[in-house]
């Protein structure tokens, strides 16, 4: 078994470190110079959406809005999947909320300007910074609790091959995946919203499942081939499951790519903020479960054995 051609996971780990370092540097630079786009659920603010028919230029819409709103705001446009509802949205972040009177005035001005476009109020939502902060803390707590459960579950399940080391290295892989999805949002100028939290929890489950498959194979090969050292065992184990992991990931990413295509064609912002970071996170999860968690576990165990 050991004589068969296997993947050298430690060499792939070194390549992975270079790739992830580059992603981190680019992501940090974008974060510092371009900033984050936070949804009002995280930053607070007001979001007012208007539906319309025909054609309304975004610049003309913004010009009318500026005559009423004396604060900084942005305007976004989208079209429903069926193409029957077109909308323009006014976004104000932070403490730049609009009172009811101003919203009514804005609606009146728009109706007067675009009389042939049947423009009307479609949705309105305001969130105070305090409520937004509470929502952010709750989301963060959910992620932290998930991480704790990951450590406990993996630590108990793989206690015969070094439960703590298996749990911590699995968590390291998950953290890399989450940073990748986060930096993708920053680079592609996507809003960090509730969709992103769904992406985070989905990637956690997906990547963890792949890592567990690796550890299961290592534990199995440890019984079948006791003559293999830790590094050889990991290489053999990864070589035995890599095709399965890649095929599963390609299949899943293909489905997500379809969502991305639809969102780009119809301007569905909510789908973009979910599908794009999800696609990159899934690819990262496939790589880290094979070539980060496993090789790091080998390094940990080897150092532990040397000390012993």
């Amino acid at each position: 078994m050991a004589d068969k051609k296997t993947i050298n996971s430690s060499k792939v780990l070194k390549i992975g470190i270079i790739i992830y370092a580059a992603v981190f540097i680019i992501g940090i630079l974008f974060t510092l110079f371009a900033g984050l786009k936070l949804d009002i659920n995280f930053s607070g603010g007001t979001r007012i959406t208007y539906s319309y028919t025909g054609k309304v230029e975004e610049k003309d819409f913004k010009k009318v809005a500026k005559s009423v709103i004396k604060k900084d705001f942005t305007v976004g446009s989208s079209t429903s999947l069926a193409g029957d509802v077109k909308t323009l949205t006014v976004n104000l972040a932070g403490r730049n909320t609009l009172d009811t009177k101003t919203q009514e005035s804005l609606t009146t001005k728009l109706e007067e300007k675009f009389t042939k476009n049947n423009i009307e109020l479609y949705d309105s939502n305001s969130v105070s910074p305090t409520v937004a902060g509470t929502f952010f803390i709750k989301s963060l707590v959910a992620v932290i609790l998930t991480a704790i459960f990951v450590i406990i579950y993996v630590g108990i399940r793989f206690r015969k091959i070094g439960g703590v080391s298996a749990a911590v290295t699995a968590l390291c892989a998950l953290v890399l995946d989450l940073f990748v999805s986060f930096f993708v949002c920053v680079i592609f100028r996507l809003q960090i919203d509730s969709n992103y939290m769904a992406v985070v929890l989905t990637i956690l489950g997906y990547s963890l499942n792949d890592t567990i498959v690796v550890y299961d194979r290592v534990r199995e090969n440890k019984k079948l081939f006791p003559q293999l050292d830790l590094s050889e065992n990991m290489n053999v184990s990864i070589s035995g499951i890599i095709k399965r992991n890649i095929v599963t990931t390609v299949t899943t990413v293909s489905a997500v790519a379809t969502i991305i295509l639809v969102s780009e064609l119809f301007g569905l912002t909510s789908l973009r903020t979910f599908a794009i970071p999800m696609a990159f996170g899934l690819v990262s999860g496939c790589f880290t479960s094979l070539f980060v968690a496993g090789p790091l576990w080998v390094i940990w165990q080897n150092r532990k054995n040397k000390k012993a």
Side-chain angles (χ1 to χ4, degrees):
M1 182 74 175
D3 294 330
K4 291 184 178 180
K5 186 176 180 180
T6 57
I7 295 172
N8 190 328
S9 59
S10 61
K11 286 186 177 180
V12 181
L13 172 62
K14 294 176 182 178
I15 298 173
I17 290 174
I18 296 173
I19 296 173
Y20 279 95
V23 171
F24 269 59
I25 292 172
I26 295 172
I28 291 171
L29 289 175
F30 266 86
T31 304
L32 292 176
F33 293 103
L36 295 175
K37 292 183 67 176
L38 295 175
D39 183 68
I40 64 171
N41 288 324
F42 289 101
S43 64
T46 299
R47 180 172 54 231
I48 311 171
T49 303
Y50 292 93
S51 62
Y52 65 94
T53 58
K55 185 178 181 180
V56 176
E57 293 292 340
E58 193 172 305
K59 62 180 181 179
D60 295 332
F61 179 89
K62 193 169 185 178
K63 185 177 180 180
V64 176
K66 276 186 176 181
S67 67
V68 178
I69 304 172
K70 307 304 180 182
K71 303 175 182 179
D72 292 331
F73 66 92
T74 59
V75 174
S77 60
S78 65
T79 305
S80 67
L81 189 60
D84 56 341
V85 179
K86 293 183 287 186
T87 59
L88 285 162
T89 303
V90 177
N91 296 289
L92 296 93
R95 298 185 179 277
N96 293 332
T97 56
L98 292 183
D99 54 41
T100 305
K101 186 177 180 180
T102 305
Q103 292 186 35
E104 291 175 351
S105 177
L106 175 61
T107 302
T108 301
K109 284 280 187 179
L110 291 170
E111 288 174 345
E112 291 174 353
K113 175 65 177 178
F114 305 104
T115 53
K116 297 180 181 180
N117 299 102
N118 299 318
I119 195 164
E120 58 183 28
L121 183 64
Y122 187 76
D123 184 41
S124 177
N125 187 23
S126 293
V127 179
S128 70
T130 303
V131 174
T134 303
F135 181 76
F136 173 77
I137 292 173
K138 288 181 178 180
S139 300
L140 189 61
V141 168
V143 174
I144 293 174
L145 287 176
T146 302
I148 293 173
F149 286 132
V150 166
I151 293 176
I152 294 173
Y153 172 72
V154 177
I156 293 174
R157 179 167 178 175
F158 298 102
R159 58 188 180 277
K160 291 185 178 180
I161 60 170
V164 174
S165 58
V168 173
T169 52
L171 186 60
C172 289
L174 294 177
V175 170
L176 285 178
D177 300 333
L178 297 186
F179 270 111
V180 166
S181 64
F182 173 76
F183 287 138
V184 165
C185 288
V186 175
I187 293 170
F188 283 86
R189 309 304 299 146
L190 302 174
Q191 276 194 342
I192 305 295
D193 55 15
S194 55
N195 283 339
Y196 177 71
M197 300 312 301
V199 170
V200 167
L201 296 176
T202 303
I203 291 174
L204 283 174
Y206 188 94
S207 182
L208 177 61
N209 179 69
D210 281 353
T211 305
I212 286 175
V213 172
V214 174
Y215 288 149
D216 265 331
R217 186 59 64 93
V218 169
R219 185 172 56 184
E220 180 183 338
N221 286 337
K222 187 177 181 181
K223 296 178 181 178
L224 296 175
F225 310 103
Q227 74 277 13
L228 299 179
D229 63 27
L230 291 175
S231 182
E232 290 173 335
N233 186 342
M234 181 58 66
N235 292 340
V236 169
S237 299
I238 290 175
S239 299
I241 64 173
I242 187 170
K243 288 184 179 180
R244 171 260 184 199
N245 279 29
I246 290 177
V247 169
T248 302
T249 301
V250 169
T251 303
T252 309
V253 171
S254 297
V256 176
T258 302
I259 299 176
I260 295 174
L261 179 62
V262 170
S263 66
E264 294 298 330
L265 289 175
F266 295 96
L268 303 175
T269 306
S270 59
L271 287 181
R272 292 182 78 246
T273 58
F274 174 82
I276 293 178
M278 176 69 78
F280 283 89
L282 291 175
V283 173
S284 176
C286 177
F287 182 87
T288 57
S289 62
L290 293 171
F291 300 114
V292 173
L296 286 180
W297 174 82
V298 172
I299 293 172
W300 183 314
Q301 289 298 309
N302 282 336
R303 290 185 177 181
K304 180 181 177 181
N305 293 337
K306 285 181 180 179
K307 289 181 179 180

